[in-house]
Amino acid sequence: MIFKQIPSGGDRNFSYLIADESTHEAACVDPGSAPFKELKMIEDEKLKLLTIINTHDHFDHTEGNIFLASKTGAKVAMHESAHSPHDISLKDGYVLKVGSLELRIIHTPGHTPDSICILAGNDLLTGDTLFVGKVGGTGYGQDAQDEYDSLHR
């Protein structure tokens, strides 16, 4: 598996490139405000970007979608409850194939109602469900309860 973490600005935000080493099929997770880095890596590694996955519907995670999709033809995948335009609606337990790799979707509401985590082999991409060094931010009341439930169940 090719697995690259790319700093993308904001509050400890990262985007990720995940690819099958044999087929070079790839997914990009959370292309932020500088998707040029992701595109350069895709071109340098000779990857075929099939899917752009957003861990939730916040601008700092979705801003690069249009640019990358227009340059690569990739489809955008988000949780089914997301409001931004997307081509593939994801549900808890959905398995997205990238070559021979399986990316398992885990619905983790709390930071936002549409938050997901992605299990790629032994790597877990958490979006803003968990930040580097702390729990992801929430609103009050039900959002906080949903985040607690997501983290403990």
Side-chain angles (χ1 to χ4, degrees):
M1 173 170 63
I2 297 169
F3 187 89
K4 304 222 179 228
Q5 182 185 57
I6 306 155
S8 59
D11 183 22
R12 303 173 232 197
N13 286 349
F14 296 98
S15 63
Y16 297 87
L17 279 176
I18 303 167
D20 180 304
E21 289 180 283
S22 60
T23 66
H24 289 264
E25 292 179 349
C28 181
V29 179
D30 290 340
S33 60
F36 311 104
K37 295 179 211 172
E38 289 86 341
L39 184 60
K40 181 168 179 4
M41 284 187 179
I42 291 164
E43 291 170 346
D44 289 350
E45 299 279 338
K46 297 179 177 46
L47 302 176
K48 180 178 181 182
L49 187 65
L50 301 178
T51 312
I52 298 162
I53 308 168
N54 297 123
T55 58
H56 63 288
D57 196 4
H58 278 168
F59 189 70
D60 58 338
H61 292 258
T62 64
E63 187 175 8
N65 288 0
I66 293 171
F67 174 81
L68 274 183
S70 70
K71 296 292 186 186
T72 64
K75 303 291 185 197
V76 175
M78 299 179 81
H79 187 263
E80 63 184 347
S81 65
H83 297 293
S84 290
H86 55 280
D87 306 297
I88 303 167
S89 291
L90 304 172
K91 295 182 178 192
D92 186 58
Y94 187 96
V95 175
L96 187 67
K97 299 283 274 177
V98 178
S100 63
L101 304 175
E102 293 186 348
L103 307 181
R104 184 166 306 280
I105 305 304
I106 305 165
H107 186 216
T108 54
H111 179 69
T112 62
D114 66 307
S115 289
I116 61 170
C117 292
I118 304 161
L119 184 61
N122 291 322
D123 297 309
L124 182 67
L125 290 77
T126 62
D128 285 353
T129 297
L130 292 173
F131 290 143
V132 176
K134 68 178 187 171
V135 173
T138 67
Y140 296 98
Q142 191 60 51
D143 289 344
Q145 182 64 53
D146 289 346
E147 179 92 359
Y148 179 88
D149 291 343
S150 290
L151 291 171
H152 291 276
R153 293 186 188 160

